[in-house]
PDB file of all heavy atoms in Angstrom:
ATOM      1  N   THR B 223      27.343   5.461  29.736  1.00 83.00           N
ATOM      2  CA  THR B 223      26.254   5.254  30.687  1.00 83.00           C
ATOM      3  C   THR B 223      26.096   6.514  31.536  1.00 83.00           C
ATOM      4  O   THR B 223      26.891   7.451  31.433  1.00 83.00           O
ATOM      5  CB  THR B 223      26.584   4.078  31.625  1.00 83.00           C
ATOM      6  OG1 THR B 223      27.791   4.420  32.297  1.00 83.00           O
ATOM      7  CG2 THR B 223      26.759   2.784  30.862  1.00 83.00           C
ATOM      8  N   LEU B 224      25.098   6.482  32.413  1.00 74.00           N
ATOM      9  CA  LEU B 224      24.856   7.616  33.294  1.00 74.00           C
ATOM     10  C   LEU B 224      26.095   7.896  34.163  1.00 74.00           C
ATOM     11  O   LEU B 224      26.512   9.037  34.337  1.00 74.00           O
ATOM     12  CB  LEU B 224      23.637   7.314  34.176  1.00 74.00           C
ATOM     13  CG  LEU B 224      23.258   8.356  35.208  1.00 74.00           C
ATOM     14  CD1 LEU B 224      22.826   9.637  34.534  1.00 74.00           C
ATOM     15  CD2 LEU B 224      22.130   7.834  36.098  1.00 74.00           C
ATOM     16  N   GLU B 225      26.707   6.808  34.649  1.00 76.00           N
ATOM     17  CA  GLU B 225      27.884   6.954  35.505  1.00 76.00           C
ATOM     18  C   GLU B 225      29.023   7.670  34.755  1.00 76.00           C
ATOM     19  O   GLU B 225      29.645   8.582  35.276  1.00 76.00           O
ATOM     20  CB  GLU B 225      28.388   5.580  36.003  1.00 76.00           C
ATOM     21  CG  GLU B 225      27.477   4.900  37.007  1.00 76.00           C
ATOM     22  CD  GLU B 225      26.242   4.284  36.379  1.00 76.00           C
ATOM     23  OE1 GLU B 225      26.274   3.964  35.167  1.00 76.00           O
ATOM     24  OE2 GLU B 225      25.217   4.166  37.078  1.00 76.00           O
ATOM     25  N   ASN B 226      29.222   7.225  33.503  1.00 79.00           N
ATOM     26  CA  ASN B 226      30.277   7.862  32.683  1.00 79.00           C
ATOM     27  C   ASN B 226      29.990   9.344  32.523  1.00 79.00           C
ATOM     28  O   ASN B 226      30.894  10.183  32.575  1.00 79.00           O
ATOM     29  CB  ASN B 226      30.341   7.294  31.263  1.00 79.00           C
ATOM     30  CG  ASN B 226      30.599   5.818  31.225  1.00 79.00           C
ATOM     31  OD1 ASN B 226      30.122   5.122  30.367  1.00 79.00           O
ATOM     32  ND2 ASN B 226      31.362   5.325  32.205  1.00 79.00           N
ATOM     33  N   MET B 227      28.705   9.622  32.306  1.00 75.00           N
ATOM     34  CA  MET B 227      28.307  11.001  32.032  1.00 75.00           C
ATOM     35  C   MET B 227      28.586  11.895  33.236  1.00 75.00           C
ATOM     36  O   MET B 227      29.142  12.980  33.105  1.00 75.00           O
ATOM     37  CB  MET B 227      26.818  11.003  31.690  1.00 75.00           C
ATOM     38  CG  MET B 227      26.304  12.312  31.213  1.00 75.00           C
ATOM     39  SD  MET B 227      24.579  12.138  30.811  1.00 75.00           S
ATOM     40  CE  MET B 227      24.668  12.070  29.067  1.00 75.00           C
ATOM     41  N   ILE B 228      28.192  11.407  34.413  1.00 71.00           N
ATOM     42  CA  ILE B 228      28.375  12.214  35.624  1.00 71.00           C
ATOM     43  C   ILE B 228      29.861  12.391  35.927  1.00 71.00           C
ATOM     44  O   ILE B 228      30.299  13.460  36.341  1.00 71.00           O
ATOM     45  CB  ILE B 228      27.601  11.580  36.799  1.00 71.00           C
ATOM     46  CG1 ILE B 228      26.103  11.747  36.529  1.00 71.00           C
ATOM     47  CG2 ILE B 228      27.975  12.213  38.134  1.00 71.00           C
ATOM     48  CD1 ILE B 228      25.205  10.952  37.414  1.00 71.00           C
ATOM     49  N   GLU B 229      30.638  11.338  35.635  1.00 74.00           N
ATOM     50  CA  GLU B 229      32.088  11.441  35.855  1.00 74.00           C
ATOM     51  C   GLU B 229      32.710  12.488  34.926  1.00 74.00           C
ATOM     52  O   GLU B 229      33.601  13.233  35.301  1.00 74.00           O
ATOM     53  CB  GLU B 229      32.758  10.099  35.537  1.00 74.00           C
ATOM     54  CG  GLU B 229      32.743   9.118  36.694  1.00 74.00           C
ATOM     55  CD  GLU B 229      33.149   7.729  36.231  1.00 74.00           C
ATOM     56  OE1 GLU B 229      33.808   7.598  35.192  1.00 74.00           O
ATOM     57  OE2 GLU B 229      32.760   6.771  36.928  1.00 74.00           O
ATOM     58  N   GLN B 230      32.190  12.524  33.731  1.00 72.00           N
ATOM     59  CA  GLN B 230      32.793  13.382  32.703  1.00 72.00           C
ATOM     60  C   GLN B 230      32.508  14.865  32.932  1.00 72.00           C
ATOM     61  O   GLN B 230      33.349  15.703  32.704  1.00 72.00           O
ATOM     62  CB  GLN B 230      32.255  12.947  31.330  1.00 72.00           C
ATOM     63  CG  GLN B 230      33.042  13.494  30.178  1.00 72.00           C
ATOM     64  CD  GLN B 230      32.558  12.891  28.851  1.00 72.00           C
ATOM     65  OE1 GLN B 230      32.045  11.788  28.821  1.00 72.00           O
ATOM     66  NE2 GLN B 230      32.736  13.633  27.788  1.00 72.00           N
ATOM     67  N   ILE B 231      31.284  15.155  33.372  1.00 70.00           N
ATOM     68  CA  ILE B 231      30.875  16.555  33.439  1.00 70.00           C
ATOM     69  C   ILE B 231      30.053  16.815  34.690  1.00 70.00           C
ATOM     70  O   ILE B 231      29.245  15.991  35.094  1.00 70.00           O
ATOM     71  CB  ILE B 231      30.054  16.919  32.171  1.00 70.00           C
ATOM     72  CG1 ILE B 231      31.008  17.232  31.039  1.00 70.00           C
ATOM     73  CG2 ILE B 231      29.144  18.091  32.375  1.00 70.00           C
ATOM     74  CD1 ILE B 231      30.369  17.193  29.710  1.00 70.00           C
ATOM     75  N   GLU B 232      30.278  17.970  35.287  1.00 73.00           N
ATOM     76  CA  GLU B 232      29.459  18.361  36.443  1.00 73.00           C
ATOM     77  C   GLU B 232      28.220  19.068  35.941  1.00 73.00           C
ATOM     78  O   GLU B 232      28.303  20.127  35.324  1.00 73.00           O
ATOM     79  CB  GLU B 232      30.256  19.295  37.341  1.00 73.00           C
ATOM     80  CG  GLU B 232      30.819  18.570  38.519  1.00 73.00           C
ATOM     81  CD  GLU B 232      31.454  19.513  39.504  1.00 73.00           C
ATOM     82  OE1 GLU B 232      30.950  20.637  39.658  1.00 73.00           O
ATOM     83  OE2 GLU B 232      32.465  19.105  40.103  1.00 73.00           O
ATOM     84  N   LEU B 233      27.086  18.442  36.215  1.00 73.00           N
ATOM     85  CA  LEU B 233      25.858  19.015  35.681  1.00 73.00           C
ATOM     86  C   LEU B 233      25.059  19.699  36.775  1.00 73.00           C
ATOM     87  O   LEU B 233      24.996  19.205  37.902  1.00 73.00           O
ATOM     88  CB  LEU B 233      24.998  17.904  35.061  1.00 73.00           C
ATOM     89  CG  LEU B 233      25.564  17.308  33.774  1.00 73.00           C
ATOM     90  CD1 LEU B 233      24.876  16.005  33.456  1.00 73.00           C
ATOM     91  CD2 LEU B 233      25.406  18.283  32.635  1.00 73.00           C
ATOM     92  N   PRO B 234      24.443  20.826  36.492  1.00 80.00           N
ATOM     93  CA  PRO B 234      23.616  21.487  37.513  1.00 80.00           C
ATOM     94  C   PRO B 234      22.325  20.701  37.768  1.00 80.00           C
ATOM     95  O   PRO B 234      21.932  19.863  36.956  1.00 80.00           O
ATOM     96  CB  PRO B 234      23.307  22.835  36.878  1.00 80.00           C
ATOM     97  CG  PRO B 234      23.433  22.632  35.424  1.00 80.00           C
ATOM     98  CD  PRO B 234      24.442  21.552  35.220  1.00 80.00           C
ATOM     99  N   PHE B 235      21.703  20.997  38.908  1.00 84.00           N
ATOM    100  CA  PHE B 235      20.460  20.319  39.265  1.00 84.00           C
ATOM    101  C   PHE B 235      19.299  21.278  39.026  1.00 84.00           C
ATOM    102  O   PHE B 235      19.334  22.434  39.423  1.00 84.00           O
ATOM    103  CB  PHE B 235      20.501  19.899  40.744  1.00 84.00           C
ATOM    104  CG  PHE B 235      19.314  19.074  41.142  1.00 84.00           C
ATOM    105  CD1 PHE B 235      19.306  17.705  40.930  1.00 84.00           C
ATOM    106  CD2 PHE B 235      18.197  19.668  41.724  1.00 84.00           C
ATOM    107  CE1 PHE B 235      18.216  16.933  41.284  1.00 84.00           C
ATOM    108  CE2 PHE B 235      17.101  18.907  42.086  1.00 84.00           C
ATOM    109  CZ  PHE B 235      17.107  17.535  41.860  1.00 84.00           C
ATOM    110  N   TYR B 236      18.270  20.780  38.323  1.00 85.00           N
ATOM    111  CA  TYR B 236      17.071  21.570  38.046  1.00 85.00           C
ATOM    112  C   TYR B 236      15.963  21.091  38.979  1.00 85.00           C
ATOM    113  O   TYR B 236      15.473  19.980  38.830  1.00 85.00           O
ATOM    114  CB  TYR B 236      16.603  21.393  36.598  1.00 85.00           C
ATOM    115  CG  TYR B 236      17.460  22.078  35.581  1.00 85.00           C
ATOM    116  CD1 TYR B 236      18.705  21.544  35.223  1.00 85.00           C
ATOM    117  CD2 TYR B 236      17.043  23.251  34.969  1.00 85.00           C
ATOM    118  CE1 TYR B 236      19.500  22.180  34.295  1.00 85.00           C
ATOM    119  CE2 TYR B 236      17.840  23.881  34.021  1.00 85.00           C
ATOM    120  CZ  TYR B 236      19.066  23.342  33.691  1.00 85.00           C
ATOM    121  OH  TYR B 236      19.857  23.963  32.765  1.00 85.00           O
ATOM    122  N   GLY B 237      15.609  21.924  39.964  1.00 87.00           N
ATOM    123  CA  GLY B 237      14.540  21.545  40.894  1.00 87.00           C
ATOM    124  C   GLY B 237      13.281  22.347  40.624  1.00 87.00           C
ATOM    125  O   GLY B 237      13.339  23.561  40.403  1.00 87.00           O
ATOM    126  N   ASN B 238      12.142  21.681  40.619  1.00 88.00           N
ATOM    127  CA  ASN B 238      10.862  22.370  40.377  1.00 88.00           C
ATOM    128  C   ASN B 238      10.000  22.265  41.632  1.00 88.00           C
ATOM    129  O   ASN B 238       9.767  21.158  42.132  1.00 88.00           O
ATOM    130  CB  ASN B 238      10.109  21.733  39.212  1.00 88.00           C
ATOM    131  CG  ASN B 238      10.912  21.778  37.939  1.00 88.00           C
ATOM    132  OD1 ASN B 238      11.376  22.832  37.527  1.00 88.00           O
ATOM    133  ND2 ASN B 238      11.123  20.626  37.343  1.00 88.00           N
ATOM    134  N   ILE B 239       9.547  23.399  42.123  1.00 87.00           N
ATOM    135  CA  ILE B 239       8.652  23.396  43.289  1.00 87.00           C
ATOM    136  C   ILE B 239       7.334  24.024  42.866  1.00 87.00           C
ATOM    137  O   ILE B 239       7.304  25.169  42.390  1.00 87.00           O
ATOM    138  CB  ILE B 239       9.241  24.201  44.469  1.00 87.00           C
ATOM    139  CG1 ILE B 239      10.689  23.753  44.742  1.00 87.00           C
ATOM    140  CG2 ILE B 239       8.387  24.024  45.719  1.00 87.00           C
ATOM    141  CD1 ILE B 239      11.411  24.643  45.748  1.00 87.00           C
ATOM    142  N   GLU B 240       6.248  23.257  43.021  1.00 88.00           N
ATOM    143  CA  GLU B 240       4.939  23.781  42.642  1.00 88.00           C
ATOM    144  C   GLU B 240       4.203  24.236  43.903  1.00 88.00           C
ATOM    145  O   GLU B 240       4.025  23.457  44.844  1.00 88.00           O
ATOM    146  CB  GLU B 240       4.129  22.701  41.909  1.00 88.00           C
ATOM    147  CG  GLU B 240       2.863  23.247  41.292  1.00 88.00           C
ATOM    148  CD  GLU B 240       2.000  22.159  40.649  1.00 88.00           C
ATOM    149  OE1 GLU B 240       2.436  20.989  40.598  1.00 88.00           O
ATOM    150  OE2 GLU B 240       0.880  22.479  40.242  1.00 88.00           O
ATOM    151  N   PHE B 241       3.819  25.507  43.924  1.00 83.00           N
ATOM    152  CA  PHE B 241       3.153  26.085  45.102  1.00 83.00           C
ATOM    153  C   PHE B 241       1.643  26.177  44.884  1.00 83.00           C
ATOM    154  O   PHE B 241       1.180  26.236  43.746  1.00 83.00           O
ATOM    155  CB  PHE B 241       3.689  27.498  45.360  1.00 83.00           C
ATOM    156  CG  PHE B 241       5.104  27.509  45.860  1.00 83.00           C
ATOM    157  CD1 PHE B 241       6.166  27.587  44.976  1.00 83.00           C
ATOM    158  CD2 PHE B 241       5.369  27.439  47.227  1.00 83.00           C
ATOM    159  CE1 PHE B 241       7.469  27.585  45.436  1.00 83.00           C
ATOM    160  CE2 PHE B 241       6.679  27.455  47.683  1.00 83.00           C
ATOM    161  CZ  PHE B 241       7.733  27.521  46.785  1.00 83.00           C
ATOM    162  N   ARG B 242       0.930  26.207  46.010  1.00 80.00           N
ATOM    163  CA  ARG B 242      -0.525  26.389  45.920  1.00 80.00           C
ATOM    164  C   ARG B 242      -0.870  27.775  45.361  1.00 80.00           C
ATOM    165  O   ARG B 242      -1.755  27.913  44.535  1.00 80.00           O
ATOM    166  CB  ARG B 242      -1.165  26.258  47.299  1.00 80.00           C
ATOM    167  CG  ARG B 242      -1.278  24.847  47.766  1.00 80.00           C
ATOM    168  CD  ARG B 242      -1.932  24.771  49.130  1.00 80.00           C
ATOM    169  NE  ARG B 242      -1.474  23.567  49.797  1.00 80.00           N
ATOM    170  CZ  ARG B 242      -1.905  22.353  49.509  1.00 80.00           C
ATOM    171  NH1 ARG B 242      -2.812  22.168  48.584  1.00 80.00           N
ATOM    172  NH2 ARG B 242      -1.436  21.303  50.152  1.00 80.00           N
ATOM    173  N   HIS B 243      -0.163  28.778  45.842  1.00 75.00           N
ATOM    174  CA  HIS B 243      -0.537  30.152  45.466  1.00 75.00           C
ATOM    175  C   HIS B 243       0.638  30.922  44.859  1.00 75.00           C
ATOM    176  O   HIS B 243       0.754  32.120  45.031  1.00 75.00           O
ATOM    177  CB  HIS B 243      -1.063  30.916  46.690  1.00 75.00           C
ATOM    178  CG  HIS B 243      -2.115  30.178  47.433  1.00 75.00           C
ATOM    179  ND1 HIS B 243      -3.365  29.968  46.910  1.00 75.00           N
ATOM    180  CD2 HIS B 243      -2.100  29.558  48.639  1.00 75.00           C
ATOM    181  CE1 HIS B 243      -4.083  29.248  47.768  1.00 75.00           C
ATOM    182  NE2 HIS B 243      -3.341  28.985  48.830  1.00 75.00           N
ATOM    183  N   GLY B 244       1.542  30.255  44.162  1.00 69.00           N
ATOM    184  CA  GLY B 244       2.689  30.955  43.580  1.00 69.00           C
ATOM    185  C   GLY B 244       3.782  31.148  44.621  1.00 69.00           C
ATOM    186  O   GLY B 244       3.521  31.202  45.826  1.00 69.00           O
ATOM    187  N   GLY B 245       5.031  31.252  44.170  1.00 66.00           N
ATOM    188  CA  GLY B 245       6.145  31.304  45.111  1.00 66.00           C
ATOM    189  C   GLY B 245       6.898  32.612  45.069  1.00 66.00           C
ATOM    190  O   GLY B 245       8.122  32.629  45.176  1.00 66.00           O
ATOM    191  N   TYR B 246       6.134  33.736  44.963  1.00 69.00           N
ATOM    192  CA  TYR B 246       6.807  35.041  44.829  1.00 69.00           C
ATOM    193  C   TYR B 246       7.717  35.353  46.014  1.00 69.00           C
ATOM    194  O   TYR B 246       8.815  35.858  45.857  1.00 69.00           O
ATOM    195  CB  TYR B 246       5.752  36.151  44.686  1.00 69.00           C
ATOM    196  CG  TYR B 246       4.688  35.821  43.681  1.00 69.00           C
ATOM    197  CD1 TYR B 246       3.381  35.569  44.082  1.00 69.00           C
ATOM    198  CD2 TYR B 246       4.998  35.730  42.314  1.00 69.00           C
ATOM    199  CE1 TYR B 246       2.395  35.232  43.159  1.00 69.00           C
ATOM    200  CE2 TYR B 246       4.031  35.397  41.391  1.00 69.00           C
ATOM    201  CZ  TYR B 246       2.733  35.151  41.821  1.00 69.00           C
ATOM    202  OH  TYR B 246       1.780  34.811  40.905  1.00 69.00           O
ATOM    203  N   GLN B 247       7.203  35.012  47.212  1.00 70.00           N
ATOM    204  CA  GLN B 247       8.001  35.325  48.414  1.00 70.00           C
ATOM    205  C   GLN B 247       9.308  34.542  48.406  1.00 70.00           C
ATOM    206  O   GLN B 247      10.355  35.062  48.771  1.00 70.00           O
ATOM    207  CB  GLN B 247       7.193  34.994  49.663  1.00 70.00           C
ATOM    208  CG  GLN B 247       6.084  36.022  49.867  1.00 70.00           C
ATOM    209  CD  GLN B 247       5.272  35.731  51.102  1.00 70.00           C
ATOM    210  OE1 GLN B 247       5.227  34.592  51.578  1.00 70.00           O
ATOM    211  NE2 GLN B 247       4.620  36.758  51.624  1.00 70.00           N
ATOM    212  N   LEU B 248       9.211  33.294  47.961  1.00 72.00           N
ATOM    213  CA  LEU B 248      10.423  32.464  47.922  1.00 72.00           C
ATOM    214  C   LEU B 248      11.447  33.059  46.937  1.00 72.00           C
ATOM    215  O   LEU B 248      12.634  33.135  47.233  1.00 72.00           O
ATOM    216  CB  LEU B 248      10.083  31.031  47.511  1.00 72.00           C
ATOM    217  CG  LEU B 248      11.283  30.087  47.450  1.00 72.00           C
ATOM    218  CD1 LEU B 248      11.840  29.824  48.843  1.00 72.00           C
ATOM    219  CD2 LEU B 248      10.925  28.779  46.778  1.00 72.00           C
ATOM    220  N   ILE B 249      10.934  33.498  45.786  1.00 72.00           N
ATOM    221  CA  ILE B 249      11.844  34.082  44.789  1.00 72.00           C
ATOM    222  C   ILE B 249      12.603  35.257  45.402  1.00 72.00           C
ATOM    223  O   ILE B 249      13.827  35.368  45.252  1.00 72.00           O
ATOM    224  CB  ILE B 249      11.076  34.553  43.527  1.00 72.00           C
ATOM    225  CG1 ILE B 249      10.488  33.333  42.806  1.00 72.00           C
ATOM    226  CG2 ILE B 249      11.977  35.321  42.573  1.00 72.00           C
ATOM    227  CD1 ILE B 249       9.608  33.657  41.631  1.00 72.00           C
ATOM    228  N   LYS B 250      11.868  36.099  46.124  1.00 72.00           N
ATOM    229  CA  LYS B 250      12.498  37.260  46.769  1.00 72.00           C
ATOM    230  C   LYS B 250      13.559  36.802  47.755  1.00 72.00           C
ATOM    231  O   LYS B 250      14.690  37.299  47.769  1.00 72.00           O
ATOM    232  CB  LYS B 250      11.431  38.063  47.524  1.00 72.00           C
ATOM    233  CG  LYS B 250      10.878  39.207  46.707  1.00 72.00           C
ATOM    234  CD  LYS B 250       9.999  40.042  47.610  1.00 72.00           C
ATOM    235  CE  LYS B 250       9.360  41.156  46.827  1.00 72.00           C
ATOM    236  NZ  LYS B 250       8.400  41.892  47.656  1.00 72.00           N
ATOM    237  N   ALA B 251      13.170  35.811  48.565  1.00 71.00           N
ATOM    238  CA  ALA B 251      14.072  35.332  49.621  1.00 71.00           C
ATOM    239  C   ALA B 251      15.325  34.680  49.061  1.00 71.00           C
ATOM    240  O   ALA B 251      16.383  34.687  49.679  1.00 71.00           O
ATOM    241  CB  ALA B 251      13.316  34.358  50.524  1.00 71.00           C
TER     242      ALA B 251
END
Side-chain angles (χ1 to χ4, degrees):
Chain B
T223 59
L224 178 65
E225 290 76 24
N226 301 146
M227 188 178 257
I228 291 168
E229 275 168 22
Q230 195 173 333
I231 278 163
E232 260 187 34
L233 290 164
F235 186 85
Y236 287 75
N238 301 307
I239 310 171
E240 190 184 355
F241 290 91
R242 283 181 207 284
H243 310 291
Y246 313 111
Q247 287 181 337
L248 180 68
I249 294 175
K250 265 188 183 174

